[in-house]
mmCIF file of all heavy atoms in Angstrom:
data_model
loop_
_atom_site.group_PDB
_atom_site.id
_atom_site.type_symbol
_atom_site.label_atom_id
_atom_site.label_comp_id
_atom_site.label_asym_id
_atom_site.label_seq_id
_atom_site.Cartn_x
_atom_site.Cartn_y
_atom_site.Cartn_z
ATOM 1 N N GLU A 1 -54.307 -49.717 -15.643
ATOM 2 C CA GLU A 1 -54.596 -50.939 -16.337
ATOM 3 C C GLU A 1 -53.552 -51.157 -17.468
ATOM 4 O O GLU A 1 -53.811 -50.810 -18.602
ATOM 5 C CB GLU A 1 -56.032 -50.974 -16.916
ATOM 6 C CG GLU A 1 -57.141 -50.922 -15.858
ATOM 7 C CD GLU A 1 -58.503 -50.933 -16.468
ATOM 8 O OE1 GLU A 1 -58.575 -51.068 -17.690
ATOM 9 O OE2 GLU A 1 -59.468 -50.861 -15.723
ATOM 10 N N PRO A 2 -52.371 -51.635 -17.153
ATOM 11 C CA PRO A 2 -51.292 -51.689 -18.121
ATOM 12 C C PRO A 2 -51.643 -52.589 -19.330
ATOM 13 O O PRO A 2 -52.372 -53.585 -19.194
ATOM 14 C CB PRO A 2 -50.141 -52.269 -17.349
ATOM 15 C CG PRO A 2 -50.458 -52.066 -15.916
ATOM 16 C CD PRO A 2 -51.953 -52.123 -15.818
ATOM 17 N N SER A 3 -51.096 -52.217 -20.488
ATOM 18 C CA SER A 3 -51.261 -52.998 -21.682
ATOM 19 C C SER A 3 -49.928 -53.083 -22.372
ATOM 20 O O SER A 3 -48.936 -52.429 -21.952
ATOM 21 C CB SER A 3 -52.351 -52.410 -22.595
ATOM 22 O OG SER A 3 -51.882 -51.204 -23.172
ATOM 23 N N ALA A 4 -49.882 -53.825 -23.467
ATOM 24 C CA ALA A 4 -48.671 -53.953 -24.259
ATOM 25 C C ALA A 4 -48.286 -52.615 -24.903
ATOM 26 O O ALA A 4 -47.131 -52.469 -25.400
ATOM 27 C CB ALA A 4 -48.784 -55.031 -25.304
ATOM 28 N N HIS A 5 -49.220 -51.662 -24.994
ATOM 29 C CA HIS A 5 -48.962 -50.365 -25.656
ATOM 30 C C HIS A 5 -48.972 -49.202 -24.712
ATOM 31 O O HIS A 5 -49.189 -48.084 -25.122
ATOM 32 C CB HIS A 5 -50.022 -50.208 -26.776
ATOM 33 C CG HIS A 5 -49.976 -51.271 -27.837
ATOM 34 N ND1 HIS A 5 -49.083 -51.264 -28.897
ATOM 35 C CD2 HIS A 5 -50.759 -52.366 -27.982
ATOM 36 C CE1 HIS A 5 -49.260 -52.362 -29.605
ATOM 37 N NE2 HIS A 5 -50.296 -53.023 -29.147
ATOM 38 N N THR A 6 -48.758 -49.491 -23.445
ATOM 39 C CA THR A 6 -48.783 -48.421 -22.435
ATOM 40 C C THR A 6 -47.698 -47.350 -22.702
ATOM 41 O O THR A 6 -47.953 -46.144 -22.463
ATOM 42 C CB THR A 6 -48.543 -48.994 -21.029
ATOM 43 O OG1 THR A 6 -49.654 -49.849 -20.746
ATOM 44 C CG2 THR A 6 -48.422 -47.936 -19.987
ATOM 45 N N PHE A 7 -46.563 -47.767 -23.264
ATOM 46 C CA PHE A 7 -45.446 -46.834 -23.374
ATOM 47 C C PHE A 7 -45.199 -46.424 -24.849
ATOM 48 O O PHE A 7 -44.118 -45.933 -25.207
ATOM 49 C CB PHE A 7 -44.150 -47.462 -22.885
ATOM 50 C CG PHE A 7 -44.234 -47.875 -21.431
ATOM 51 C CD1 PHE A 7 -44.509 -49.174 -21.062
ATOM 52 C CD2 PHE A 7 -44.039 -46.939 -20.382
ATOM 53 C CE1 PHE A 7 -44.605 -49.533 -19.684
ATOM 54 C CE2 PHE A 7 -44.159 -47.276 -19.071
ATOM 55 C CZ PHE A 7 -44.391 -48.578 -18.720
ATOM 56 N N ASP A 8 -46.195 -46.582 -25.698
ATOM 57 C CA ASP A 8 -46.006 -46.241 -27.139
ATOM 58 C C ASP A 8 -45.590 -44.829 -27.368
ATOM 59 O O ASP A 8 -44.695 -44.550 -28.124
ATOM 60 C CB ASP A 8 -47.269 -46.594 -27.912
ATOM 61 C CG ASP A 8 -47.474 -48.088 -28.175
ATOM 62 O OD1 ASP A 8 -46.562 -48.823 -27.710
ATOM 63 O OD2 ASP A 8 -48.426 -48.492 -28.853
ATOM 64 N N ASP A 9 -46.253 -43.888 -26.725
ATOM 65 C CA ASP A 9 -45.975 -42.491 -26.905
ATOM 66 C C ASP A 9 -44.528 -42.151 -26.372
ATOM 67 O O ASP A 9 -43.805 -41.384 -26.985
ATOM 68 C CB ASP A 9 -46.977 -41.591 -26.187
ATOM 69 C CG ASP A 9 -48.355 -41.628 -26.836
ATOM 70 O OD1 ASP A 9 -48.450 -42.054 -28.012
ATOM 71 O OD2 ASP A 9 -49.360 -41.288 -26.175
ATOM 72 N N ALA A 10 -44.211 -42.748 -25.259
ATOM 73 C CA ALA A 10 -42.890 -42.539 -24.657
ATOM 74 C C ALA A 10 -41.788 -43.122 -25.554
ATOM 75 O O ALA A 10 -40.750 -42.554 -25.776
ATOM 76 C CB ALA A 10 -42.818 -43.085 -23.244
ATOM 77 N N GLN A 11 -42.083 -44.317 -26.102
ATOM 78 C CA GLN A 11 -41.082 -44.939 -26.974
ATOM 79 C C GLN A 11 -40.864 -44.087 -28.218
ATOM 80 O O GLN A 11 -39.701 -43.947 -28.629
ATOM 81 C CB GLN A 11 -41.585 -46.335 -27.369
ATOM 82 C CG GLN A 11 -40.562 -47.141 -28.143
ATOM 83 C CD GLN A 11 -41.109 -48.432 -28.665
ATOM 84 O OE1 GLN A 11 -42.303 -48.585 -28.819
ATOM 85 N NE2 GLN A 11 -40.254 -49.412 -28.950
ATOM 86 N N LEU A 12 -41.924 -43.579 -28.796
ATOM 87 C CA LEU A 12 -41.736 -42.720 -29.960
ATOM 88 C C LEU A 12 -40.960 -41.468 -29.660
ATOM 89 O O LEU A 12 -40.105 -41.042 -30.423
ATOM 90 C CB LEU A 12 -43.145 -42.353 -30.499
ATOM 91 C CG LEU A 12 -43.121 -41.380 -31.717
ATOM 92 C CD1 LEU A 12 -42.378 -41.987 -32.919
ATOM 93 C CD2 LEU A 12 -44.545 -41.029 -32.080
ATOM 94 N N GLN A 13 -41.232 -40.884 -28.436
ATOM 95 C CA GLN A 13 -40.474 -39.681 -28.034
ATOM 96 C C GLN A 13 -38.977 -39.964 -27.898
ATOM 97 O O GLN A 13 -38.120 -39.167 -28.302
ATOM 98 C CB GLN A 13 -41.067 -39.100 -26.802
ATOM 99 C CG GLN A 13 -40.522 -37.712 -26.426
ATOM 100 C CD GLN A 13 -41.349 -37.107 -25.298
ATOM 101 O OE1 GLN A 13 -41.005 -37.227 -24.158
ATOM 102 N NE2 GLN A 13 -42.460 -36.422 -25.606
ATOM 103 N N ILE A 14 -38.615 -41.091 -27.278
ATOM 104 C CA ILE A 14 -37.245 -41.435 -27.088
ATOM 105 C C ILE A 14 -36.583 -41.839 -28.452
ATOM 106 O O ILE A 14 -35.424 -41.486 -28.677
ATOM 107 C CB ILE A 14 -37.078 -42.597 -26.054
ATOM 108 C CG1 ILE A 14 -37.574 -42.151 -24.668
ATOM 109 C CG2 ILE A 14 -35.641 -43.086 -26.010
ATOM 110 C CD1 ILE A 14 -36.847 -40.924 -24.145
ATOM 111 N N TYR A 15 -37.340 -42.464 -29.294
ATOM 112 C CA TYR A 15 -36.825 -42.811 -30.638
ATOM 113 C C TYR A 15 -36.488 -41.479 -31.395
ATOM 114 O O TYR A 15 -35.435 -41.408 -32.084
ATOM 115 C CB TYR A 15 -37.903 -43.581 -31.392
ATOM 116 C CG TYR A 15 -37.456 -44.102 -32.732
ATOM 117 C CD1 TYR A 15 -36.861 -45.342 -32.855
ATOM 118 C CD2 TYR A 15 -37.659 -43.370 -33.898
ATOM 119 C CE1 TYR A 15 -36.473 -45.849 -34.093
ATOM 120 C CE2 TYR A 15 -37.284 -43.828 -35.160
ATOM 121 C CZ TYR A 15 -36.644 -45.095 -35.227
ATOM 122 O OH TYR A 15 -36.270 -45.598 -36.444
ATOM 123 N N THR A 16 -37.369 -40.510 -31.333
ATOM 124 C CA THR A 16 -37.143 -39.225 -31.960
ATOM 125 C C THR A 16 -35.921 -38.538 -31.373
ATOM 126 O O THR A 16 -35.141 -37.852 -32.085
ATOM 127 C CB THR A 16 -38.383 -38.351 -31.866
ATOM 128 O OG1 THR A 16 -39.518 -39.042 -32.414
ATOM 129 C CG2 THR A 16 -38.179 -37.061 -32.643
ATOM 130 N N LEU A 17 -35.791 -38.621 -30.083
ATOM 131 C CA LEU A 17 -34.656 -37.956 -29.375
ATOM 132 C C LEU A 17 -33.330 -38.593 -29.841
ATOM 133 O O LEU A 17 -32.363 -37.878 -30.178
ATOM 134 C CB LEU A 17 -34.818 -38.119 -27.869
ATOM 135 C CG LEU A 17 -33.645 -37.618 -27.012
ATOM 136 C CD1 LEU A 17 -33.454 -36.123 -27.137
ATOM 137 C CD2 LEU A 17 -33.823 -37.991 -25.540
ATOM 138 N N MET A 18 -33.278 -39.908 -29.925
ATOM 139 C CA MET A 18 -32.052 -40.560 -30.388
ATOM 140 C C MET A 18 -31.773 -40.209 -31.822
ATOM 141 O O MET A 18 -30.625 -40.027 -32.253
ATOM 142 C CB MET A 18 -32.151 -42.087 -30.228
ATOM 143 C CG MET A 18 -32.210 -42.539 -28.747
ATOM 144 S SD MET A 18 -32.023 -44.378 -28.585
ATOM 145 C CE MET A 18 -33.613 -44.924 -29.385
ATOM 146 N N HIS A 19 -32.833 -40.154 -32.641
ATOM 147 C CA HIS A 19 -32.656 -39.825 -34.073
ATOM 148 C C HIS A 19 -32.078 -38.392 -34.259
ATOM 149 O O HIS A 19 -31.124 -38.274 -35.074
ATOM 150 C CB HIS A 19 -34.029 -39.939 -34.754
ATOM 151 C CG HIS A 19 -33.949 -39.739 -36.236
ATOM 152 N ND1 HIS A 19 -35.116 -39.541 -36.981
ATOM 153 C CD2 HIS A 19 -32.907 -39.623 -37.108
ATOM 154 C CE1 HIS A 19 -34.763 -39.398 -38.280
ATOM 155 N NE2 HIS A 19 -33.444 -39.442 -38.352
ATOM 156 N N ARG A 20 -32.603 -37.447 -33.521
ATOM 157 C CA ARG A 20 -32.205 -36.069 -33.771
ATOM 158 C C ARG A 20 -30.874 -35.713 -33.013
ATOM 159 O O ARG A 20 -30.126 -34.899 -33.481
ATOM 160 C CB ARG A 20 -33.296 -35.130 -33.282
ATOM 161 C CG ARG A 20 -34.549 -35.237 -34.134
ATOM 162 C CD ARG A 20 -35.656 -34.298 -33.609
ATOM 163 N NE ARG A 20 -36.855 -34.340 -34.431
ATOM 164 C CZ ARG A 20 -37.962 -33.641 -34.138
ATOM 165 N NH1 ARG A 20 -38.019 -32.889 -33.093
ATOM 166 N NH2 ARG A 20 -39.029 -33.773 -34.945
ATOM 167 N N ASP A 21 -30.674 -36.364 -31.883
ATOM 168 C CA ASP A 21 -29.590 -35.917 -31.015
ATOM 169 C C ASP A 21 -28.369 -36.854 -31.137
ATOM 170 O O ASP A 21 -27.230 -36.376 -31.370
ATOM 171 C CB ASP A 21 -30.089 -35.878 -29.607
ATOM 172 C CG ASP A 21 -29.001 -35.303 -28.630
ATOM 173 O OD1 ASP A 21 -28.546 -34.221 -28.876
ATOM 174 O OD2 ASP A 21 -28.682 -36.006 -27.643
ATOM 175 N N SER A 22 -28.545 -38.159 -30.940
ATOM 176 C CA SER A 22 -27.425 -39.076 -30.858
ATOM 177 C C SER A 22 -26.975 -39.627 -32.217
ATOM 178 O O SER A 22 -25.782 -39.896 -32.427
ATOM 179 C CB SER A 22 -27.762 -40.215 -29.881
ATOM 180 O OG SER A 22 -28.121 -39.741 -28.660
ATOM 181 N N TYR A 23 -27.934 -39.849 -33.118
ATOM 182 C CA TYR A 23 -27.638 -40.476 -34.400
ATOM 183 C C TYR A 23 -26.592 -39.695 -35.215
ATOM 184 O O TYR A 23 -25.648 -40.279 -35.733
ATOM 185 C CB TYR A 23 -28.919 -40.748 -35.149
ATOM 186 C CG TYR A 23 -28.783 -41.259 -36.549
ATOM 187 C CD1 TYR A 23 -28.155 -42.484 -36.772
ATOM 188 C CD2 TYR A 23 -29.249 -40.534 -37.675
ATOM 189 C CE1 TYR A 23 -27.993 -43.003 -38.087
ATOM 190 C CE2 TYR A 23 -29.120 -41.059 -38.963
ATOM 191 C CZ TYR A 23 -28.488 -42.267 -39.135
ATOM 192 O OH TYR A 23 -28.370 -42.791 -40.433
ATOM 193 N N PRO A 24 -26.764 -38.389 -35.407
ATOM 194 C CA PRO A 24 -25.708 -37.638 -36.134
ATOM 195 C C PRO A 24 -24.304 -37.755 -35.558
ATOM 196 O O PRO A 24 -23.332 -37.862 -36.286
ATOM 197 C CB PRO A 24 -26.235 -36.214 -36.111
ATOM 198 C CG PRO A 24 -27.709 -36.298 -35.864
ATOM 199 C CD PRO A 24 -27.833 -37.496 -34.976
ATOM 200 N N ARG A 25 -24.262 -37.729 -34.192
ATOM 201 C CA ARG A 25 -22.933 -37.893 -33.597
ATOM 202 C C ARG A 25 -22.366 -39.272 -33.762
ATOM 203 O O ARG A 25 -21.158 -39.478 -33.865
ATOM 204 C CB ARG A 25 -23.022 -37.550 -32.111
ATOM 205 C CG ARG A 25 -23.278 -36.034 -31.826
ATOM 206 C CD ARG A 25 -22.942 -35.713 -30.372
ATOM 207 N NE ARG A 25 -23.725 -36.383 -29.428
ATOM 208 C CZ ARG A 25 -24.906 -36.046 -28.967
ATOM 209 N NH1 ARG A 25 -25.498 -34.914 -29.439
ATOM 210 N NH2 ARG A 25 -25.568 -36.741 -28.072
ATOM 211 N N PHE A 26 -23.248 -40.260 -33.787
ATOM 212 C CA PHE A 26 -22.768 -41.616 -34.033
ATOM 213 C C PHE A 26 -22.142 -41.762 -35.389
ATOM 214 O O PHE A 26 -21.088 -42.424 -35.570
ATOM 215 C CB PHE A 26 -23.928 -42.595 -33.889
ATOM 216 C CG PHE A 26 -23.599 -44.008 -34.344
ATOM 217 C CD1 PHE A 26 -22.793 -44.849 -33.643
ATOM 218 C CD2 PHE A 26 -24.211 -44.478 -35.538
ATOM 219 C CE1 PHE A 26 -22.508 -46.117 -34.092
ATOM 220 C CE2 PHE A 26 -23.898 -45.758 -35.994
ATOM 221 C CZ PHE A 26 -23.045 -46.584 -35.273
ATOM 222 N N LEU A 27 -22.703 -41.170 -36.463
ATOM 223 C CA LEU A 27 -22.182 -41.255 -37.783
ATOM 224 C C LEU A 27 -20.878 -40.600 -37.964
ATOM 225 O O LEU A 27 -20.083 -41.012 -38.780
ATOM 226 C CB LEU A 27 -23.210 -40.685 -38.801
ATOM 227 C CG LEU A 27 -24.547 -41.346 -38.923
ATOM 228 C CD1 LEU A 27 -25.429 -40.656 -39.938
ATOM 229 C CD2 LEU A 27 -24.407 -42.828 -39.296
ATOM 230 N N SER A 28 -20.586 -39.606 -37.101
ATOM 231 C CA SER A 28 -19.272 -38.944 -37.159
ATOM 232 C C SER A 28 -18.321 -39.415 -36.112
ATOM 233 O O SER A 28 -17.255 -38.812 -35.945
ATOM 234 C CB SER A 28 -19.465 -37.393 -37.043
ATOM 235 O OG SER A 28 -20.115 -37.085 -35.833
ATOM 236 N N SER A 29 -18.668 -40.497 -35.343
ATOM 237 C CA SER A 29 -17.837 -40.916 -34.272
ATOM 238 C C SER A 29 -16.747 -41.848 -34.777
ATOM 239 O O SER A 29 -16.830 -42.437 -35.856
ATOM 240 C CB SER A 29 -18.677 -41.720 -33.289
ATOM 241 O OG SER A 29 -19.156 -42.930 -33.890
ATOM 242 N N PRO A 30 -15.611 -41.956 -34.043
ATOM 243 C CA PRO A 30 -14.514 -42.852 -34.432
ATOM 244 C C PRO A 30 -14.976 -44.282 -34.489
ATOM 245 O O PRO A 30 -14.449 -45.083 -35.297
ATOM 246 C CB PRO A 30 -13.498 -42.626 -33.294
ATOM 247 C CG PRO A 30 -13.791 -41.286 -32.754
ATOM 248 C CD PRO A 30 -15.240 -41.136 -32.880
ATOM 249 N N ALA A 31 -15.976 -44.697 -33.660
ATOM 250 C CA ALA A 31 -16.464 -46.061 -33.639
ATOM 251 C C ALA A 31 -17.060 -46.392 -35.022
ATOM 252 O O ALA A 31 -16.804 -47.484 -35.559
ATOM 253 C CB ALA A 31 -17.436 -46.267 -32.510
ATOM 254 N N TYR A 32 -17.901 -45.512 -35.520
ATOM 255 C CA TYR A 32 -18.534 -45.827 -36.821
ATOM 256 C C TYR A 32 -17.544 -45.761 -37.957
ATOM 257 O O TYR A 32 -17.568 -46.587 -38.869
ATOM 258 C CB TYR A 32 -19.690 -44.849 -37.073
ATOM 259 C CG TYR A 32 -20.424 -45.096 -38.365
ATOM 260 C CD1 TYR A 32 -21.135 -46.280 -38.555
ATOM 261 C CD2 TYR A 32 -20.369 -44.229 -39.422
ATOM 262 C CE1 TYR A 32 -21.787 -46.549 -39.749
ATOM 263 C CE2 TYR A 32 -21.057 -44.440 -40.610
ATOM 264 C CZ TYR A 32 -21.734 -45.647 -40.786
ATOM 265 O OH TYR A 32 -22.426 -45.875 -41.945
ATOM 266 N N ARG A 33 -16.617 -44.830 -37.916
ATOM 267 C CA ARG A 33 -15.571 -44.720 -38.961
ATOM 268 C C ARG A 33 -14.723 -45.985 -38.935
ATOM 269 O O ARG A 33 -14.284 -46.495 -39.976
ATOM 270 C CB ARG A 33 -14.754 -43.471 -38.780
ATOM 271 C CG ARG A 33 -15.483 -42.193 -39.092
ATOM 272 C CD ARG A 33 -14.516 -41.093 -39.300
ATOM 273 N NE ARG A 33 -13.663 -40.810 -38.167
ATOM 274 C CZ ARG A 33 -13.944 -39.912 -37.216
ATOM 275 N NH1 ARG A 33 -15.062 -39.216 -37.297
ATOM 276 N NH2 ARG A 33 -13.114 -39.742 -36.220
ATOM 277 N N ALA A 34 -14.464 -46.528 -37.716
ATOM 278 C CA ALA A 34 -13.658 -47.771 -37.669
ATOM 279 C C ALA A 34 -14.401 -48.926 -38.294
ATOM 280 O O ALA A 34 -13.756 -49.794 -38.956
ATOM 281 C CB ALA A 34 -13.354 -48.060 -36.210
ATOM 282 N N LEU A 35 -15.724 -48.922 -38.144
ATOM 283 C CA LEU A 35 -16.505 -50.033 -38.777
ATOM 284 C C LEU A 35 -16.496 -49.901 -40.281
ATOM 285 O O LEU A 35 -16.396 -50.930 -40.994
ATOM 286 C CB LEU A 35 -17.939 -49.978 -38.249
ATOM 287 C CG LEU A 35 -18.185 -50.446 -36.801
ATOM 288 C CD1 LEU A 35 -19.642 -50.185 -36.417
ATOM 289 C CD2 LEU A 35 -17.813 -51.912 -36.631
ATOM 290 N N LEU A 36 -16.504 -48.670 -40.785
ATOM 291 C CA LEU A 36 -16.424 -48.461 -42.225
ATOM 292 C C LEU A 36 -15.088 -48.910 -42.779
ATOM 293 O O LEU A 36 -15.025 -49.547 -43.792
ATOM 294 C CB LEU A 36 -16.692 -46.969 -42.532
ATOM 295 C CG LEU A 36 -18.133 -46.460 -42.400
ATOM 296 C CD1 LEU A 36 -18.155 -44.987 -42.557
ATOM 297 C CD2 LEU A 36 -19.102 -47.181 -43.293
ATOM 298 N N LEU A 37 -14.017 -48.509 -42.047
ATOM 299 C CA LEU A 37 -12.685 -48.923 -42.486
ATOM 300 C C LEU A 37 -12.488 -50.455 -42.427
ATOM 301 O O LEU A 37 -11.851 -50.997 -43.263
ATOM 302 C CB LEU A 37 -11.615 -48.225 -41.615
ATOM 303 C CG LEU A 37 -11.483 -46.732 -41.740
ATOM 304 C CD1 LEU A 37 -10.488 -46.141 -40.749
ATOM 305 C CD2 LEU A 37 -11.067 -46.347 -43.170
#
């Protein structure tokens, strides 16, 4: 019985994964440094 909150737990888990894994690499990436410059 799907609802608008069916994937809330999964969304939080992926949000945490991006925060811990991808976000630090993004801040040290050439793409982000180019935006700062």
